[in-house]
């Protein structure tokens, strides 16, 4: 009888520790700085939620110039997928885009793994023809702050795939 209290205490502490490690992941990180290399081009971008909203602001810089985008993240639209709808602009009207990106954590398969797929439409202006870009990405979160990713961008009609390697810092 006198051993029941310590056994109950140890059992309660073990259950609490077990529940703490089995907690659901915090979700995908959108507040991040990315350095990427695509062919001979190095790109730097930063994205963050505006306040506590789901509005995502992104700014990017590369040899092609500076780009800006605003998007809205719909979290958990189905099967753990986050959908981001965005509009963006670059140096010229021809760089304006409308996009949709789908992102999902695959931590149930490999802890820290995630995939993304998206499409961006550039309506073109003047002599520029409209284009669609399809992107596919596989990323691995090394820890809460750092991740690495490999992506492929397929520009419809161009007949070429652009490969991108990225390193990210999540904040």
């Amino acid at each position: 009888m006198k051993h029941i209290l310590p056994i109950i205490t140890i059992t309660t502490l073990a259950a609490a520790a077990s529940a703490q490690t089995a907690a659901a992941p915090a979700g995908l990180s959108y507040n991040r700085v990315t350095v990427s290399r695509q062919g001979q081009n190095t790109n730097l971008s930063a994205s963050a939620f505006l306040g506590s909203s789901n509005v995502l602001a992104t700014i990017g810089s590369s040899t092609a110039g500076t780009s800006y985008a605003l998007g809205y993240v719909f979290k958990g639209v189905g099967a753990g997928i986050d959908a981001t709808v965005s509009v963006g602009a670059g140096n010229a009207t021809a760089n304006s885009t409308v996009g949709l990106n789908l992102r999902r954590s695959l931590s149930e398969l490999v802890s820290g793994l995630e995939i993304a797929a998206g499409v961006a439409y550039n309506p073109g202006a003047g002599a520029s023809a409209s284009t669609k870009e399809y992107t596919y990405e596989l990323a691995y979160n090394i820890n809460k702050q750092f991740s690495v990713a490999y992506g492929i961008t397929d520009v419809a009609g161009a007949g070429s795939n652009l490969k991108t390697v990225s390193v990210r810092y999540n904040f």
Side-chain angles (χ1 to χ4, degrees):
M1 230 15 206
K2 61 182 176 179
H3 297 294
I4 291 179
L5 186 56
I7 291 171
I8 291 174
T9 303
I10 291 171
T11 305
T12 304
L13 289 173
S18 171
Q20 193 171 19
T21 58
L28 299 168
S29 177
Y30 288 92
N31 296 327
R32 58 192 186 177
V33 175
T34 303
V35 176
S36 59
R37 183 85 171 162
Q38 186 179 64
Q40 297 299 315
N41 298 322
T42 301
N43 304 309
L44 175 65
S45 66
S47 47
F49 281 123
L50 298 179
S52 60
S53 71
N54 283 4
V55 176
L56 186 67
T58 304
I59 184 168
S61 179
S62 70
T63 54
T66 304
S67 61
Y68 310 91
L70 273 179
Y72 189 85
V73 179
F74 296 91
K75 294 185 177 183
V77 294
I81 297 172
D82 287 0
T84 304
V85 177
S86 63
V87 292
N91 289 338
T93 309
N95 291 332
S96 299
T97 59
V98 176
L100 171 67
N101 192 56
L102 305 174
R103 226 174 126 198
R104 186 181 191 286
S105 171
L106 294 177
S107 289
E108 68 273 10
L109 298 176
V110 175
S111 181
L113 192 64
E114 66 180 63
I115 60 170
V119 61
Y121 175 71
N122 177 338
S128 299
S130 63
T131 60
K132 287 183 189 170
E133 289 185 0
Y134 299 94
T135 57
Y136 313 96
E137 182 181 83
L138 183 64
Y140 178 71
N141 296 296
I142 299 166
N143 55 35
K144 286 186 178 184
Q145 283 79 37
F146 292 98
S147 64
V148 293
Y150 178 77
I152 297 174
T153 302
D154 178 19
V155 181
S160 65
N161 292 328
L162 304 171
K163 281 80 172 171
T164 305
V165 176
S166 304
V167 176
R168 296 188 178 113
Y169 175 75
N170 302 313
F171 58 93

